[in-house]
Amino acid sequence: MGYIDELNESQLVAVKNIDAPTMVIAGAGSGKTRVLTFRIAYMIEQGVDPFNIMALTFTNKAAREMTERIGEILGNGEARNITMGTFHSVFSRILRVNADRLGYPSNFTIYDTQDSKSLLKDIVKGFKLDDKAYKANNVLGRISSAKNNLISPDAYEQNAEIQAEDKMAKRPEMARVYKAYANRCFNAGAMDFDDLLFNTNVLLRDFPDVLNYYQQKFKYILVDEYQDTNYAQYLIVKKLAALYENICVVGDDAQSIYSFRGANIQNILNFKKDYPDFKLFKLEQNYRSTKNIVEAANGVIARNKDQIKKTVWTDNPEGSKISVVRNLTDNEEGKVIINKIYDKAKAEGLSFNDFAILYRTNKQSRSFEESLRKLNIPYKIYGGLSFYQRKEIKDLLAYFRLTANQNDEEAFKRVINYPKRGIGKTSLESVVIAANKYGVSTWDVISNFSQYPVAINAGTKKKMSEFTSMIKSFSAQLNTLDGYMLAQEIARSSGILKELHTTKDKGPEEVERYQNIEELLSGIKSFIESQREIESKSLSEFMLDIALLTDADVDKDEEKNHVTLMTIHSSKGLEFPNVYLVGLEENLFPSQMSLNSRTDLEEERRLFYVAVTRAKTNCTLSYATSRFQWGNLITAEPSRFIEEIDPKFLSHETPTRGGGRSLSGRASNFEQPHQGGLNRSFTSTSLKPINKVSSKPKVKGSETLDLKVGYNVEHNRFGRGKITKLEGTDANRKATIFFPRHGAKTVLLRFADLNVTDL
């Protein structure tokens, strides 16, 4: 058990206490994942059968990493016998085994957010409701909230308080929409992500034999990030653990930041009420951040009333103070922060991977993106369009889904006329209307027009019949043909490969789409090969795996050199040497919507705590004194969270216009950026001293100025530049100036608004 030696004293006792309800409160950077992993390994070494262990995480990536680490300690054989994965992946497998109990096929489809929104738009349109009042995103959020609180469509309809809320929100038909959505999903043999939890609760509630089976199977239950569980997740875990109560939850109430997704901090705060004889262990040593960062964060989070008290500490060096940067506008903030990143990377020889910009809302990325592009610095925004959400990928996946489940209405609508088969939108709508009328799936209709009459012409019916024949041929091979071979066959026979095949007339976007299909097929090949020791190598197994991917599971291109931009919510669980927390203004962070209650404000404070503790070495806080909102420039004031940090941990700075240097980020020689930006190793050579604004006055009518070729000047629109040519006299005097961001510009000096900078 040499791995045990890697643990500190607090971690060790948390690992060894395996036979009682246990709560491990793990401060930021305290080695939570290590404790969870080693605890499972230790349990197995103490004789616990891995088949009796269930470990629940919030990302597939975390589950895979833990399984791999346990495999390194004990051998892969034992690690594979543990039931480990996300709530959704573990419970979806339980549902597939027991789907018939609930009236679903075992190969039910899992709808993603895009599928759900598409279906809701169709329902709203069919009911002739106002699509502005019933926006798909808002309606889906309402339904999701209901399901996470285990409110069925019938219970929703009968709840007077809920009905009153919907009327106030000008959505009086919400219950009708919810019921139609549930029925359409059921008829399509589909569940959305929330159904995976809702239906697991129904299964365990209505079938005592199923509950007893899984209680006996999962005698030891471990839950990661317990503070992020919602009511549905909490109830499932409570039911499964009721018999043996060998439950261990790990988390940090100070990092509970997902209430908007239904997470309930009371689940972790009230653990002691559910299990009065529980044991509490606190992991308080931070291995990630400097003393200044740890103690500054501690001082802020200590103001929250709803928390489990702990004192996070570190043996790491004291480190630099937290920088606070004041900017005049949000655009200036973008310039200043990006110049700081450029300067620091250049001066210290750092990779751009060492830098992260965190913000409260996605819309704040604009000014930083603009400045990054102007400096030719590579960057990546997380939370954007993932690989599996690209059109060409979803198109092919829809064929895979329809092959496994012909009743999948959203997959059917997506590919019935792609590639084009001459099946028009009106004909498709007629099929959907008939399906709804008879309470069957769209597939049932097009497979039996004699039983379900539809007013479409014979030619279209023939094309639809040819489509069903093709899908049936794919389906017949689903359980006999290797998943990769079947995927290739579907991509070819469906016409997608031909549709996207590159020719000399295709542009780069078309080439990329074709390459994405190749990448998907390669991914299936890799997945199938990884299943060598597992009997099933079908395409259905791959579809189940990717249907349950979360944002955190998507490839982060970690090997590529780029600055990271993301919301604070997306950054949880990550760490960076240098973190820039931007937009720290009242009504932005904390959000204006959080200022009406202590509960909401305390969550915003936890969000700030999470942001600061992502930083390992340096943390910079930035705010603007004015910001554009809806086209209007408004005055802003610094966030209260800055004031809540002890001043001894802070260093305030007010940059000069443009961050004290040109936005080109270069000294007076204005060298052209290298191809690919600075995506290369830095040398130890430092930048030349930054040019400062000259004491010479700004002159309207700069023809009176004694300008010479080679002078450095600053233009109010184009920024800094170097004069490369002078010509003309008096009122016609002109200067050609090279601006690194805009190229060469010729300006008439009598109208130019220039600053002359030092030579």
Side-chain angles (χ1 to χ4, degrees), residues 497-560:
L497 281 182
K498 183 179 180 181
E499 176 79 7
L500 296 177
H501 194 278
T502 55
T503 68
K504 63 180 181 180
D505 298 322
K506 296 281 186 180
E509 290 184 2
E510 285 77 9
V511 172
E512 183 180 0
R513 283 196 279 270
Y514 185 82
Q515 291 172 340
N516 286 339
I517 293 294
E518 286 185 315
E519 180 63 27
L520 175 63
L521 294 174
S522 297
I524 297 172
K525 177 77 169 178
S526 176
F527 175 82
I528 296 301
E529 289 182 352
S530 73
Q531 301 288 96
R532 283 176 180 168
E533 296 182 25
I534 301 174
E535 186 176 347
S536 175
K537 299 183 178 65
S538 72
L539 189 59
S540 296
E541 284 294 315
F542 174 78
M543 291 301 293
L544 174 60
D545 189 64
I546 64 165
L548 295 164
L549 285 176
T550 65
D551 291 344
D553 295 315
V554 179
D555 177 24
K556 300 296 187 187
D557 291 334
E558 288 162 351
E559 75 285 356
K560 294 183 180 178

Side-chain angles (χ1 to χ4, degrees), residues 396-640:
L396 185 52
L397 291 179
Y399 272 103
F400 296 167
R401 284 166 45 178
L402 205 56
T403 297
N405 173 18
Q406 280 84 61
N407 291 326
D408 186 338
E409 181 182 335
E410 289 307 304
F412 169 81
K413 289 192 298 185
R414 189 175 189 99
V415 298
I416 181 66
N417 196 41
Y418 179 79
K420 291 189 177 182
R421 299 182 174 88
I423 299 173
K425 186 177 179 181
T426 303
S427 298
L428 179 56
E429 287 176 351
S430 298
V431 170
V432 173
I433 290 169
N436 294 334
K437 176 182 177 182
Y438 294 107
V440 296
S441 70
T442 49
W443 182 267
D444 289 332
V445 173
I446 66 170
S447 298
N448 196 343
F449 283 119
S450 60
Q451 186 174 348
Y452 305 110
V454 183
I456 54 178
N457 62 50
T460 301
K461 286 182 179 179
K462 182 173 183 290
K463 291 168 185 172
M464 287 186 174
S465 296
E466 290 171 351
F467 176 77
T468 60
S469 297
M470 178 179 66
I471 298 299
K472 286 177 181 176
S473 71
F474 297 154
S475 187
Q477 304 174 80
L478 187 62
N479 296 316
T480 58
L481 195 61
D482 170 279
Y484 172 66
M485 301 297 291
L486 179 55
Q488 277 194 315
E489 167 66 13
I490 293 172
R492 183 185 60 79
S493 297
S494 67
I496 285 183
L497 281 182
K498 183 179 180 181
E499 176 79 7
L500 296 177
H501 194 278
T502 55
T503 68
K504 63 180 181 180
D505 298 322
K506 296 281 186 180
E509 290 184 2
E510 285 77 9
V511 172
E512 183 180 0
R513 283 196 279 270
Y514 185 82
Q515 291 172 340
N516 286 339
I517 293 294
E518 286 185 315
E519 180 63 27
L520 175 63
L521 294 174
S522 297
I524 297 172
K525 177 77 169 178
S526 176
F527 175 82
I528 296 301
E529 289 182 352
S530 73
Q531 301 288 96
R532 283 176 180 168
E533 296 182 25
I534 301 174
E535 186 176 347
S536 175
K537 299 183 178 65
S538 72
L539 189 59
S540 296
E541 284 294 315
F542 174 78
M543 291 301 293
L544 174 60
D545 189 64
I546 64 165
L548 295 164
L549 285 176
T550 65
D551 291 344
D553 295 315
V554 179
D555 177 24
K556 300 296 187 187
D557 291 334
E558 288 162 351
E559 75 285 356
K560 294 183 180 178
N561 185 25
H562 55 240
V563 173
T564 295
L565 283 76
M566 61 171 56
T567 64
I568 304 165
H569 284 101
S570 299
S571 73
K572 189 166 172 291
L574 304 177
E575 59 182 40
F576 303 90
N578 305 283
V579 167
Y580 295 81
L581 179 53
V582 300
L584 271 170
E585 298 138 34
E586 286 291 299
N587 298 323
L588 182 55
F589 193 21
S591 165
Q592 187 173 18
M593 293 185 293
S594 73
L595 302 181
N596 295 323
S597 73
R598 176 177 294 279
T599 299
D600 292 341
L601 181 58
E602 289 200 352
E603 174 145 344
E604 288 289 292
R605 189 174 285 115
R606 292 193 295 270
L607 189 60
F608 179 77
Y609 175 82
V610 166
V612 171
T613 55
R614 298 312 92 200
K616 297 169 70 175
T617 309
N618 295 290
C619 181
T620 297
L621 311 179
S622 172
Y623 68 94
T625 57
S626 62
R627 183 175 294 271
F628 274 99
Q629 286 189 3
W630 304 106
N632 298 316
L633 189 65
I634 63 166
T635 301
E637 59 178 290
S639 168
R640 67 188 69 192

Side-chain angles (χ1 to χ4, degrees), residues 285-303:
Q285 182 175 0
N286 181 300
Y287 291 94
R288 176 187 299 154
S289 308
T290 62
K291 280 189 173 70
N292 274 326
I293 292 172
V294 168
E295 293 179 17
N298 283 349
V300 174
I301 201 62
R303 294 172 178 260

